[in-house]
Amino acid sequence: MKQAKTYQVVGRPEARLDGEEKVTGKAVYTVDVQLPGMAHGKVLRSPYPHARLACVDGSKAEKLPGVYAVITRDDQRRLGMFGAAYKDQTIVAVDKVRYVGDPVAAVAAVDDATAEAALNSIDVEYEELPAVTSIEEALAPQAPLVHEGVSSGGELMGQHYETPKEFSGTNLCYRFSYAKGNIEAGFEKADYIFEDTFSFPRVQHFSMEPHATVAHVDGDRITLWAATQEPFTLREHLGEIFRVPLNKVRIIVPYVGGAYGGKLAVKTEPLAVALAFKARRPVRLAHSIEESFKTVTRHPARVRIKSGVTKDGKLVARQCLIHMETGAYADAGPRVTQKAGYRCFGPYRIPHVKTDAYTVYTNTVPAGAYRGFGTLQVTWAYESQMDIIAEKLALDPLELRLKNLLKKGELYTPGDTPVDCDLKEGLLRAAKEIGWNKQDHKPNRGKGLACCMKDGGGTYKVASAAVKMNSDGSIILLTGTVEIGQGARTALSQIVAEELGVPLSHITVAQLDTDVTPYDVNTNASSSTVVMGLSVQRAAQHLKRQLVRHAAKALKTPADRLTLKQGRIEGGKGQRISFEALMHKVFLSKAGEIVGRGVYQDVKSKRAALGSPTTFWEISWGGAEVEVDRDTGEVKLIRYVSLADVGKAIHPVLCEGQDEGGVMNAIGHSLLEEMIYKDGQLLNPNLVDYRVPTFSHLPLGFETILVENQNGPGPFGAKGTGEGGLLPVAPAIGNALYRATGVRLYDLPLTPERVWRALRAKNQS
Amino acid sequence: MKQAKTYQVVGRPEARLDGEEKVTGKAVYTVDVQLPGMAHGKVLRSPYPHARLACVDGSKAEKLPGVYAVITRDDQRRLGMFGAAYKDQTIVAVDKVRYVGDPVAAVAAVDDATAEAALNSIDVEYEELPAVTSIEEALAPQAPLVHEGVSSGGELMGQHYETPKEFSGTNLCYRFSYAKGNIEAGFEKADYIFEDTFSFPRVQHFSMEPHATVAHVDGDRITLWAATQEPFTLREHLGEIFRVPLNKVRIIVPYVGGAYGGKLAVKTEPLAVALAFKARRPVRLAHSIEESFKTVTRHPARVRIKSGVTKDGKLVARQCLIHMETGAYADAGPRVTQKAGYRCFGPYRIPHVKTDAYTVYTNTVPAGAYRGFGTLQVTWAYESQMDIIAEKLALDPLELRLKNLLKKGELYTPGDTPVDCDLKEGLLRAAKEIGWNKQDHKPNRGKGLACCMKDGGGTYKVASAAVKMNSDGSIILLTGTVEIGQGARTALSQIVAEELGVPLSHITVAQLDTDVTPYDVNTNASSSTVVMGLSVQRAAQHLKRQLVRHAAKALKTPADRLTLKQGRIEGGKGQRISFEALMHKVFLSKAGEIVGRGVYQDVKSKRAALGSPTTFWEISWGGAEVEVDRDTGEVKLIRYVSLADVGKAIHPVLCEGQDEGGVMNAIGHSLLEEMIYKDGQLLNPNLVDYRVPTFSHLPLGFETILVENQNGPGPFGAKGTGEGGLLPVAPAIGNALYRATGVRLYDLPLTPERVWRALRAKNQS
């Protein structure tokens, strides 16, 4: 392990910059924004999973006192269609509704109650159509089609997506295929072949803050306050929908109360803008929790994984067939599918691989990006199967993994970034921490391990930042990274503070506003510390170079002898000048500012399977110990150990928070969470019926270990973190459950009912 | 005259960018800003011109329902003192009140009525003191002192101001002295010596929008929406008052409804912030017109001007003694005094000059910056005296002026910028336009001329700007120039459009916000077109260089063969690429932005009388024809011709608007406006009793002529304009009045009463 350098600010658990505001309730979120004359928006949603719209008539509602605007499909006419990958969405349904919750109309009125009442005055005639609400139904021959036409293609984060023509007349809208080696030859070399199918449930992001937008339109200029993770990309979408250039769309992002991918791309925003256009006044459109459930979810998935192994336990071939259910509209589905397809081989050396991943439309809520982005669905499969293989080969699951793990520097696929971490070291540490070799053989107890890897940073990042020194030496950071609760403002400010040799308190972060904040593509994929971190670091270094150049003149000392310390620039021999004094020298008055700018841009490479090599590998290990209540089927987490390869923790407590939060998040889909559809109706879109983890679900023993090898591509050797913590949770628990009970489950979540039924079935067999 | 180049956007009367918003009433001003929980502020003001404060007790008011905060002198304790030049002001009076209207306490309450009621519950005991309410009273021996101590010094726009120690025990607070040649020797060479004393009244800016601030405080972070002309300088003042660094003060500037200098430095802002701190909620503090009258005015002045002339009409010596009445607090008084003292020699070649200008405290409303900034007081004197001299020498006033005018390239004073205009050409043009040689000898009619000059741009400017190209080729301009109605956003955008070869509609201007907008010292002194104009032009050129460099690569064409046209870059031989396509090439996706930055900084020079040579000379000529009603004394403007040397009119209609507005503004103090004090009480602080010019006061014939020699230091040869139009108005009218009636008046305004009395006195003599 590379020895850590000592830093003044980086690596220290500084108080969060947004902490005081948040704990005192002063932090401003989008719903707190009030504009003069602001109207309140409400959305009328389809009660049917699939129906032709015979009539939508808002004329009665329009005449109600206090109603400022009613949006129906007539208003879509002048607007562009939209969607993260495909342009398959409209602000309200036009020809037919495609899921329960599909927006049919919207109202802006003087208050919420009036808007609610107006919704009831909108006449809608539905002609019900047969619906498909699962992958199986959607893929059945003669299945009803969610979209009759082929979805048109689009660009998403620098890549083009398009529905293959041969999918016409099916509910498929995208396929990702990849192969390396010769899959048939691979399986021929195998002594054993394992073929298993796993499923992953539909789960919701459940951000503390549901989706919210305040829109204000003046002439052709649109101003938005929005709870979004990607204001600059949202700006582009809105420009296309409303047919205005980017400089006519201004998006201001207050604090965002959790996002997890659910606030990427386009959600409530265009409907809020359309209402504001028509109402000729600002409009707030804020979702209830239930509406957010009807806006976006994670992709339910079916993963068939076939692995060929030699008798001494070497993986030689793996073939995956993946179906990702993207609901009624594609959203980021094609991209999530691509990532699931690409990531399904796991952190293992497998000479022959092949994957086919499909995106499937159904008459359910659209599924989009969600923390982990297609990876959880496949880690659940491949890390569960590793234990199945180990048992068959009578190998210790740890040993089987160690035999096959990629080495640092090895290639996952040709053209991608070499593996940047010692996977073995981490796995051994996880095993040690969970007490793998000290199996204490208590009844109904078992331990499980998992080791997971995803290409971090998404694909094709462009980011920039500015660091500004005022005439008194105080510093303002301009960054497009959204503070979604992850603590980005604090960590990014630490990078600036470290570079400029000032305490963290000298830095403030400016409000995010697309008109003036330097461009950043988005806040996602555990990328901000690396991608924005590098932009910010380069901006600080650019500022530093300018300061040093001025100081060299002022102090008559060569620039290379100058260092920045505590708000001063010092030469070796007692020369020193404070930032403030230097600024006054440069501007000959108490005036002016010096601005440093930094830019980060990924590379593209035709050799890389996904078009550009990953920015870094996000790697995580998990060890779980469970105790199973055989009477109720409840799986209790006795201990959970999570290891995250963070390269260098800029803020260790925030990294731990990300990792712990990730584990808790994953405990949800591992043990509790599942959106349940019956007859096309979502049965549990609320806190009472949909169970997210609470403090009572915390593992009794819970530990996060940060692996710091100082070798990440980010500032000071940092890598990104935030999603890694989730990846091993489900398979580690599933494997522990098996070792505790001998019961192997293939479908998440591992609810008491499901476990109890499996235990009973096993006892009966 | 240099031939004008042809431009695509510059020089054309484009539609104002803010026009639609303003005529439809949608433009947002500070009073339109609403924040959740916002309280309303009111100020309790002194009814006495001078009194010791025996007691200020806000405890009763604090207990009233709906009252959130009461500010009294106790709250000043933790705060710094402030003021534009000297730190002689407090947020409310501490030891004594110094003028009628001096803030004594302030309240923030749930609404205006509650706040108003709370003011009445504040107990204040005053012990009246004798007051001085004119220059004469203030300078009298044993005069009561407005300030007992010597005012401490301060920095204002890169210069240090300080009260000389010998002024201790007087009401003087500043002196500016300047001499060139040998004044005694000069007068000895003269054949005639003229000595006259002129006075200038106290007038108010009368912006359509009175002073207004909305303040929001979170922890130690202050956010302000403010009607200010200098957000960055205001930020510095607030930082000092509230003892926080600059990055803890954020100032957002909506549209400003007129400023004219009255919104420079510190006005209502710190009181609004103090209320917000104490109320723990946002506070709006918006003045009534009457309160703005009690906040800032133009300096009343007494100008004694002594000129020595040879019998053939050559000026050989001039000595001025100037007193500027700055009221109860200095505000920009010392600087205004300096400028009055420096500018009193007029646009003439005078070998021996000497000036002493004093700033005088009185118990009246503070006087600060006001369009023209100390110049009107002295142009009234020197251009009136020129006609007195001409008559005595039996010379045509035009001829006398032509004999003495500085030539282009001559020095006004050593070390300053050489005169950058043909003064003679302009004066002859003004004479021609007003029909100087065609005196038609109608009864009671007369014509007058005046030629005036001021160093433009204030002193020591630091400005910067950014021009950002979005990924679709649309452009956002970031500028710190405040849109105060002058049309700066439009003119500055024209400069960008011209440089980048796009129509004006491709550009939007970002909201002014000190956190993110590039630094600019202020919007004043007719400087923005030159100072910010150059910053903006350099930013656009910086952006252009980057675009061309990328395009050269993309088009495989040398950069020097590329031109920008209509949103494209073209090579000579059919190569072309749109900005949008180029951006996509650079960022390999629909992402990113390219930012150009531009900076302007004045030079400093010890050789220059004021520390730095003027940025440009603002030069104007006026010709007036009046008809006098001998029964009423009314002076009617039959015709007025105004010439402004604008170098190159970026937007001719806006330049004409500035000039016409300037003339109308000056008609106010020439014929109508005067704030009248009696027993220390201001008698006419309102629209009924204080007469500003209306449409009925428009000259019957009114012409503005833009002199364009393409030789200004600004973009495309532009110079600044905006104040020049005012300078010749009063003396041109005064001179015309004399030629119509033989009556010479020395005191403004030339009200019917004053003219009638003078006519009667003349008839009686």
Side-chain angles (χ1 to χ4, degrees), chain A residues 537-560:
Chain A
Q537 187 179 35
R538 288 166 187 170
Q541 289 168 342
H542 179 215
L543 171 59
K544 185 156 71 174
R545 285 195 300 278
Q546 297 175 70
L547 292 173
V548 164
R549 200 173 63 229
H550 290 301
K553 226 168 120 186
L555 298 176
K556 299 184 176 64
T557 303
D560 56 12

Side-chain angles (χ1 to χ4, degrees), chain A residues 514-582:
Chain A
T514 54
D515 264 11
V516 290
T517 304
Y519 182 90
D520 177 43
V521 64
N522 51 25
T523 300
N524 73 353
S526 311
S527 68
S528 300
T529 305
V530 172
V531 168
M532 182 53 75
L534 287 173
S535 304
V536 160
Q537 187 179 35
R538 288 166 187 170
Q541 289 168 342
H542 179 215
L543 171 59
K544 185 156 71 174
R545 285 195 300 278
Q546 297 175 70
L547 292 173
V548 164
R549 200 173 63 229
H550 290 301
K553 226 168 120 186
L555 298 176
K556 299 184 176 64
T557 303
D560 56 12
R561 294 213 200 128
L562 296 174
T563 52
L564 277 67
K565 261 185 212 162
Q566 294 298 317
R568 292 188 301 270
I569 301 185
E570 300 187 357
K573 297 170 182 168
Q575 314 97 316
R576 57 166 62 185
I577 187 166
S578 72
F579 289 159
E580 185 169 16
L582 182 64

